[in-house]
Amino acid sequence: MIISQKKICYTLDMKIKIRYFASFRELIGQGEELLTVADATRVVDIRALLVERNPRLQPIMERSVNALNHRYVPAETVLHENDELVFIPPTGGGQ
Amino acid sequence: MEPIIQLTREPLDRDALVAAVSHPSVGGIVVFEGVVRDNARGKNVRYLEYDVYEEMARQQIATIIEEARQRWSLEHVAVAHRFGRLEIGEASVIIVVATPHRAEAFEACRYLIDTLKSTVPIWKKEVATNGEEWVEG
């Protein structure tokens, strides 16, 4: 983690928004939440945090991919202030 | 022409979509309409619930239309998806592709519906007589 020497940081926390859809919304019981997390937190850290908080999410989390600010991203992606993170369970249905 | 992308809770209007892509330079129009079926994997389906991540779905649909445009000569395209509760027989998705010649209209339409199903964040819940589940794949 690189922090500018000149920048005065009172806190290294940042706020991100998580939105929940489909099975996530039903399991969590809400459509979105704001989380305060440490600077340089990655998507994969949020995945672990949510599953730790609510172990029933594990099966669907394992089948889901990540969207950050409306784009698919890998789990290693680093988050920034005001990011919108969504876990995307498998879509589709029908043949 | 800009593609038409509709995400709506209201019933889809097939005639309006076809009219919107019609143009004197068009030689073929292919329409795919997905409708709600009363059965799935041995279950009696009562109705469907569609959930959508609207902002991302809109962008993703625009992306796959752009991909199709690079492969085929598309004159006009309309993609409409409904969400919320849908009853048996109602249309959940309509894709209309207008091209100079028919072959590419069929191919592009097939590509658009298949890619939409796999990459656009829209989810379907089947509410059957013996329970409900989000459908995957």
Side-chain angles (χ1 to χ4, degrees):
Chain A
M1 190 166 67
I2 298 163
I3 300 168
S4 161
Q5 298 288 319
K6 291 177 187 166
K7 194 173 162 190
I8 301 168
C9 293
Y10 294 100
T11 169
L12 293 177
D13 287 347
M14 58 181 179
K15 282 197 175 56
I16 61 160
K17 180 157 86 172
I18 309 183
R19 294 176 66 188
Y20 299 114
F21 293 93
S23 40
F24 276 102
R25 191 198 334 241
E26 290 188 346
L27 284 165
I28 290 170
Q30 59 185 350
E32 65 175 65
E33 69 175 312
L34 292 173
L35 271 190
T36 303
V37 296
D39 196 22
T41 296
R42 297 163 305 162
V43 172
V44 67
D45 303 321
I46 303 293
R47 295 176 73 104
L49 175 77
L50 294 186
V51 170
E52 190 185 315
R53 204 176 66 178
N54 186 347
R56 288 190 309 157
L57 293 179
Q58 182 155 8
I60 190 64
M61 191 63 93
E62 282 174 4
R63 296 198 299 277
S64 298
V65 296
N66 322 291
L68 190 62
N69 304 327
H70 310 145
R71 291 183 187 283
Y72 290 110
V73 297
E76 296 307 317
T77 307
V78 174
L79 299 168
H80 296 92
E81 178 79 16
N82 296 324
D83 274 351
E84 179 171 303
L85 176 62
V86 177
F87 299 106
I88 309 279
T91 58
Q95 288 158 12
Chain B
M1 189 181 92
E2 279 292 300
I4 295 163
I5 300 172
Q6 274 181 10
L7 296 169
T8 174
R9 288 185 175 275
E10 304 303 314
L12 302 181
D13 185 343
R14 186 202 311 120
D15 291 348
L17 293 166
V18 172
V21 304
S22 298
H23 188 268
S25 62
V26 161
I29 295 177
V30 166
V31 180
F32 173 79
E33 180 164 353
V35 295
V36 179
R37 200 179 54 225
D38 71 355
N39 64 91
R41 298 176 305 282
K43 297 187 301 187
N44 295 315
V45 175
R46 292 171 51 219
Y47 63 91
L48 296 184
E49 286 267 354
Y50 280 90
D51 196 8
V52 57
Y53 180 11
E54 200 169 338
E55 301 90 332
M56 183 173 173
R58 218 169 261 288
Q59 286 185 22
Q60 203 61 31
I61 290 170
T63 300
I64 65 175
I65 291 172
E66 186 49 41
E67 287 167 4
R69 276 196 193 285
Q70 288 172 10
R71 293 177 59 174
W72 296 283
S73 156
L74 307 185
E75 292 278 342
H76 303 306
V77 180
V79 174
H81 209 301
R82 195 171 160 195
F83 60 96
R85 176 174 168 154
L86 274 73
E87 308 298 331
I88 307 301
E90 291 190 306
S92 56
V93 57
I94 295 177
I95 296 181
V96 189
V97 178
T99 61
H101 306 287
R102 66 179 176 276
E104 50 204 349
F106 280 107
E107 287 172 20
C109 190
R110 177 77 198 243
Y111 173 82
L112 287 171
I113 184 60
D114 288 350
T115 317
L116 181 148
K117 287 280 186 181
S118 59
T119 71
V120 176
I122 296 175
W123 301 272
K124 169 168 102 174
K125 184 166 76 173
E126 286 170 358
V127 181
T129 48
N130 61 347
E132 53 182 61
E133 70 172 316
W134 291 97
V135 180
E136 298 182 3

